[in-house]
Structures are given as C-alpha cells and as structure tokens.
C-alpha cells in the first residue's frame, strides 16, 4: 500500500502530536520516589492501627468468602457494627470506634433493615448504609469502572472501613475467571489503601471451595476470611459455620485458629456463640463414645485419625471419669 507525500506528512504530524501529548502528560504526573534503604528504615511512617483486632488494620484489604446461604452478610454486618461502636464480634475486637460505610448491592432494603435492627443502634453516625435497593430507578454502581469508583469515592468522607457486599452485584463486565477483568478493581482498592481506607470485599465462593473467579483477587489481600458449614450441619441449625483465616498477615498462634460460630435470635436481638473447633470435635467424640461407637467408627465418621480420637477420649476421661475409652 502506497501513500502520497501529503498522507505521509499528515501521519508524521499526527505522531508528533501524540508524542507531545504523552510527554506533557508525563510532565504533569508526580515523579516516582525512591529511598535508600537506611533512609527508608529511619522514616517515621503512620502506624497501621487495628480497626478490628487482629484481622483488619488501617489500610487493610480483606475478603470475606463463603458459599451462598452460609452467613456472609450476617458476619459482614457484625464486623461493621463492631468497628463503628468500638465493640466486639465473634473472636475479634475493635479498640476504638471507626467510621464505616456499608455498601449493599444484593439484599432487599427491608431485609437489610431487619438484620441491622437485631443489633444495638449506632446513633453516632459512624455507621452509614448505602443500599442499592433503595436507590432511584436507573441508579447503579459498577465498581469495575472508573466513573462508579469516583462516584463512591465522592461520598467516602471520613470513612475508615469500606465494606462492599458483594463483588458479584457491585461489578459487571469482563469474565469472572480472567485476571485482566480484575485489574481496574484491584488498582482502585490499592488507591484506597494509600488514602488509609480499609476495604472488606464480600465474595461468593465457587464449587471448589475457593472465592469465585480469578485467584489474582487474593494476591494483594492482607486477610482472607472463609466461612463453611461444619460436616454435621443441618439446615435446622440456621447460621452455624466454621470461620477460617485462609490468609492473615501478622496473625499467629491462638488468634489464627479456626472456630465455630452460631447465631441465635432472642427477642429480636442477635446472640452469637463461639466455640473452638477442638471443643466441637470433643463434643462429637464424647457423644459417639457414650453411644457405644468404637474408636475406628468415630475416626471414620469425623475424619480424624484413631490416635487423635484416643487423645480426645483420654482428655475427656480425665475431666469426666464416666467417659470410657472403647
């Protein structure tokens, strides 16, 4: 394909304009900063205090994942309430009250209202709710796009913890299992972290037991909380699940151990009970032992080794002599 001299000149001028625009844009952007290691280690940086100890700090990126119907929203609301009141929830504690914005993209407004009413009122204004179900027709958010991110940032104000419930309903476009479709959302969350805003993203779990879509979503996380029903779960149990920390930077020892949580509603108020998973196993071993099950049968039913069943029985016998080892 040949070009006339006029076309070639036009093409060269266009290239010069593009180059000039790129250079001008580069001049307007702040330069990248680097530090000598001894200078960096001597700098006084803002400490990362706890919003909810030990799982969420200031500037944290966290994800709460579970299969549908397990109890993600109940836990997310409990976290929001504890953070806003400086209270406690499950095995976690908020040292001081924080400003929280809860964005719900899935639940009918009346249902969300009902769940919030199970908790004590937050009259300080620290807990703000943005329910998409109560927006005007035609108003939507697609947080995978820059314009929606900017609209939400415009109302953040003093927000210290942003809870997004959930990714599936608050983003659209791009294939769920493609890393590239996540890039814009990840960049936005990293930008929020630089501002000191912590983000808790609620995610549906796929059939494989992991958060749906690309695993790239987990790369920048400080904390990944997963909920799952216990092996002996029955639908009559309601909101009863195990809590596991799949990823938790800086969380060690007892604080990192999984536990079981159960919700009961009494007189319209949410009442949570928490058990160490070892206690749950011990209860099951005790029940089956009293029912006459052998060590082999107990181990097979609970997915434990026979030696572990023996250890649990020995511990229970020391506490309650009537518990016999079989």
């Amino acid at each position: 394909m040949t070009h006339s001299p006029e076309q070639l000149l036009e093409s060269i001028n266009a290239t010069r304009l593009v180059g000039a625009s790129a250079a001008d844009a580069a001049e307007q952007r702040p330069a990248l900063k680097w530090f000598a290691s001894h200078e960096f280690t001597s700098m006084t940086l803002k400490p990362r205090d706890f919003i909810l100890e030990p799982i969420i700090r200031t500037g944290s990126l966290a994800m709460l994942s579970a299969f549908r119907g397990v109890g993600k929203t109940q836990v997310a609301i409990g976290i929001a309430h504890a953070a806003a009141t400086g209270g406690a929830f499950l095995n976690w504690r908020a040292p001081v009250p924080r400003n929280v914005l809860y964005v719900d993209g899935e639940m009918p407004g009346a249902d969300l209202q009902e769940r919030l009413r199970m908790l004590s009122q937050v009259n300080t204004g620290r807990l703000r709710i943005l329910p998409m179900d109560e927006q005007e027709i035609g108003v939507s958010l697609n947080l995978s796009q820059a314009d929606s991110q900017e609209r939400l940032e415009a109302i953040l104000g003093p927000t210290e913890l942003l809870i997004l419930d959930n990714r599936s309903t608050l983003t659209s476009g791009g294939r769920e299992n493609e890393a590239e479709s996540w890039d814009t959302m990840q960049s936005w969350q990293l930008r929020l972290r630089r501002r000191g805003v912590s983000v808790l993203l609620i995610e549906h779990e796929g059939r494989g037991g992991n958060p749906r879509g690309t695993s790239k979503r987990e790369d920048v996380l400080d904390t990944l909380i997963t909920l799952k029903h216990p092996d002996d779960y029955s639908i009559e149990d309601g909101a009863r699940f195990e809590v596991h920390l799949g990823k938790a930077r800086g969380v060690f020892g007892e604080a990192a151990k999984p536990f079981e949580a159960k919700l009961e509603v009494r007189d319209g108020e949410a009442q949570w009970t928490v058990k160490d998973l070892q206690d749950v196993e011990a209860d099951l071993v005790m029940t089956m032992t009293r029912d006459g099950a052998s060590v082999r049968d107990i181990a097979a039913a609970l997915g434990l080794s026979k030696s572990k069943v023996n250890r649990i029985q020995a511990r229970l016998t020391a506490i309650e002599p009537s518990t016999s080892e079989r």
Side-chain angles (χ1 to χ4, degrees):
M1 182 177 180
T2 59
H3 298 277
S4 67
E6 292 78 8
Q7 289 175 322
L8 289 172
L9 182 59
E10 184 179 346
S11 176
I12 292 170
N13 288 334
T15 303
R16 286 174 177 166
L17 288 173
V18 170
S21 298
D24 291 343
E27 288 179 2
Q28 294 173 4
R29 288 198 301 265
L32 292 171
K33 295 187 293 185
W34 61 268
F35 306 92
S37 62
H38 69 280
E39 294 174 334
F40 185 74
T41 55
S42 300
M43 292 169 60
T44 302
L45 302 177
K46 188 175 181 180
R48 297 185 66 207
D49 298 322
F50 280 110
I51 290 179
L52 194 66
E53 190 175 4
I55 59 170
I56 302 177
R57 293 177 180 266
T58 52
S60 281
L61 300 181
M63 180 183 289
L64 171 62
S65 169
F67 198 66
R68 59 181 177 269
V70 174
K72 296 185 296 294
T73 295
Q74 293 282 16
V75 172
I77 290 173
I79 288 174
H81 184 269
T85 59
F89 178 64
L90 302 182
N91 281 350
W92 311 314
R93 179 183 62 88
V96 296
R98 300 284 187 171
N99 295 308
V100 181
L101 176 61
Y102 192 105
V103 183
D104 180 86
E106 178 175 293
M107 189 168 291
D111 291 352
L112 180 61
Q113 186 182 66
E114 180 182 358
R115 296 194 181 191
L116 286 164
R117 283 175 173 170
M118 295 180 189
L119 306 171
S120 62
Q121 286 294 322
V122 183
N123 298 319
T124 60
R126 286 189 177 274
L127 177 55
R128 295 183 295 151
I129 310 296
L130 196 165
M132 293 308 299
D133 192 59
E134 296 302 310
Q135 307 302 312
E136 294 182 12
I137 299 297
V139 175
S140 63
L141 279 177
N142 179 3
L143 294 176
S144 64
Q145 296 184 351
D147 61 335
S148 286
Q149 295 169 4
E150 290 169 2
R151 287 167 59 206
L152 188 54
E153 283 188 68
I155 64 168
L156 282 180
T159 296
E160 296 165 279
L161 174 61
L162 173 63
I163 300 179
L164 302 174
D165 187 5
N166 54 62
R167 183 201 57 80
S168 179
T169 57
L170 293 172
T171 65
S172 59
R175 294 186 179 180
E176 196 168 45
N177 61 348
E178 288 185 356
E180 291 79 5
S181 66
W182 174 247
D183 286 345
T184 304
M185 185 77 170
Q186 177 174 286
S187 297
W188 178 57
Q189 290 186 80
L190 290 171
R191 190 165 70 246
L192 290 174
R193 185 173 73 181
R194 289 184 186 179
R195 289 179 50 176
V197 178
S198 297
V199 180
L200 174 61
L201 181 65
I202 314 305
E203 177 64 273
H204 287 296
E205 191 173 275
R207 297 188 182 277
N210 296 311
R212 273 200 325 220
T214 173
S215 61
K216 186 175 181 179
R217 296 188 186 122
E218 302 174 32
D219 291 348
V220 297
L221 295 179
D222 296 292
T223 307
L224 172 60
I225 308 163
T226 58
L227 314 178
K228 68 175 185 176
H229 283 144
D231 293 337
D232 64 336
Y233 176 80
S234 172
I235 194 168
E236 291 83 6
D237 294 340
R240 172 177 165 247
F241 44 79
E242 296 176 4
V243 181
H244 297 259
L245 296 182
K247 179 180 181 180
R249 289 176 179 162
V251 184
F252 307 100
E254 291 292 324
K257 287 185 176 180
F259 58 90
E260 181 180 292
K262 179 175 174 58
L263 170 65
E264 292 181 306
V265 181
R266 301 170 187 166
D267 298 325
E269 293 187 2
Q271 304 288 330
W272 288 91
T273 55
V274 175
K275 279 187 176 182
D276 188 280
L277 281 188
Q278 290 183 344
D279 295 336
V280 176
E281 287 179 346
D283 289 345
L284 293 172
V285 169
M286 177 182 287
T287 298
M288 294 185 72
T289 300
R290 286 174 172 171
D291 290 343
S294 68
V295 169
R296 180 182 301 226
D297 291 340
I298 295 172
L302 301 182
L304 305 175
S305 67
K306 289 188 289 185
S307 60
K308 185 170 185 178
V309 173
N310 279 321
R311 288 197 301 271
I312 293 174
Q313 287 181 330
R315 177 162 56 87
L316 293 174
T317 300
I319 299 172
E320 186 177 347
S322 61
T323 303
S324 60
E325 181 178 333
R326 297 183 64 88

